[in-house]
Structures are given as C-alpha cells and as structure tokens.
Amino acid sequence: MNDAFTKMFQQMMESGQEMVRAFNPALENMQVKGFEQFFPTMSKDMMEMWFGKTFNREGLDAKTRLLVTIAALTVLGAQAEPQLKLTVRHALEAGATQREIAEVIWQMSMFGGLPAMQKALEIAQSVFAEVEEKDA
C-alpha cells in the first residue's frame, strides 16, 4: 500500500470504529485484522460508503440506523438470519427496546410478507432470550 492509501484507510477505519462504538459499545476494542489485504481490491467509493462519511452522517443515530437495518433484513427473509441476529443484538445495545424491534418487524409484513415477518420475529425472540439469559 502506498502512503496516501494507508492514510485514507486509517482514517476510514477510525471513522468506522466510532460508528461501531455507537452501534454496540461492547465492540469498542474490535480488531479488524487482515482487512487491509482485502480493501485494495475495493473501489474508493465503496470504502468511503462503508467507512467514511456516508454511514457516519449526523442525520440518524445508531439506534435508528439499526432499526432501519432490521426492517431491510426482515424483508430479505430467511436468507439474512445471521445478519438479523447480529443486528437485533446491536440494536438492543444501542438502546432499542424489544417492543420497538418487534414493531419494526411487524411493519415489514406489509412489504416482505407474513412468512418473512414470522421468521424475523422468531429470530428476534431467540436473541431476546439469549440476552435475558446472559443478564440473569
């Protein structure tokens, strides 16, 4: 990597790390080893979208961004199960309530259909149970 790319990469990773902390404070010390080998093959625009200003804009807080993500993953259906589990966990960490998460999922039944909504609710309930068991 050249110096300009290294500097840009470091700035984007720092910006991304700030957003990770907002999404889930437990991930504050997350290490992203090996990504630098993957990123040279990714366009600058894509990197900027993921780690730069796009996802770190002041327009939406972390909780809202995560609720919107839950909505999108719900509509995608069962193919997004691992991502939905992770996002529900992060939304809880960012201050979303179980009720808010369920409401978002229910709302998506209009767009993704009842089977997608039912699967997403099952996934969310399994995460709620895991979190409650861990906190007990």
Side-chain angles (χ1 to χ4, degrees):
M1 285 192 274
N2 63 36
D3 288 340
F5 180 82
T6 301
K7 183 178 179 181
M8 179 185 73
F9 177 79
Q10 197 147 15
Q11 287 173 336
M12 285 188 283
M13 291 305 292
E14 288 169 10
S15 180
Q17 196 73 15
E18 288 175 31
M19 198 55 155
V20 165
R21 276 192 295 276
F23 279 179
N24 187 342
L27 297 177
E28 183 172 0
N29 297 318
M30 179 181 86
Q31 296 296 314
V32 204
K33 296 183 179 178
F35 275 143
E36 66 277 358
Q37 293 173 1
F38 172 70
F39 286 122
T41 64
M42 190 181 300
S43 73
K44 180 182 176 191
D45 293 337
M46 181 80 69
M47 289 177 67
E48 179 63 27
M49 181 184 76
W50 284 358
F51 298 106
K53 297 178 182 113
T54 304
F55 286 148
N56 293 313
R57 294 174 52 191
E58 298 299 321
L60 295 174
D61 62 7
K63 176 180 140 180
T64 304
R65 287 181 190 276
L66 289 161
L67 290 172
V68 169
T69 303
I70 288 170
L73 293 171
T74 297
V75 172
L76 287 173
Q79 68 184 1
E81 183 171 346
Q83 294 84 358
L84 184 57
K85 279 184 173 183
L86 184 63
T87 306
V88 168
R89 266 192 213 97
H90 291 329
L92 291 168
E93 287 289 331
T97 65
Q98 291 182 6
R99 177 66 187 254
E100 289 170 323
I101 292 167
E103 290 287 342
V104 165
I105 292 170
W106 289 327
Q107 178 72 28
M108 291 304 101
S109 68
M110 296 172 53
F111 304 102
L114 291 175
M117 179 206 67
Q118 183 177 3
K119 181 64 176 173
L121 281 174
E122 289 172 7
I123 291 167
Q125 287 171 336
S126 73
V127 173
F128 299 160
E130 288 172 16
V131 169
E132 287 172 2
E133 184 177 305
K134 186 184 108 193
D135 291 345

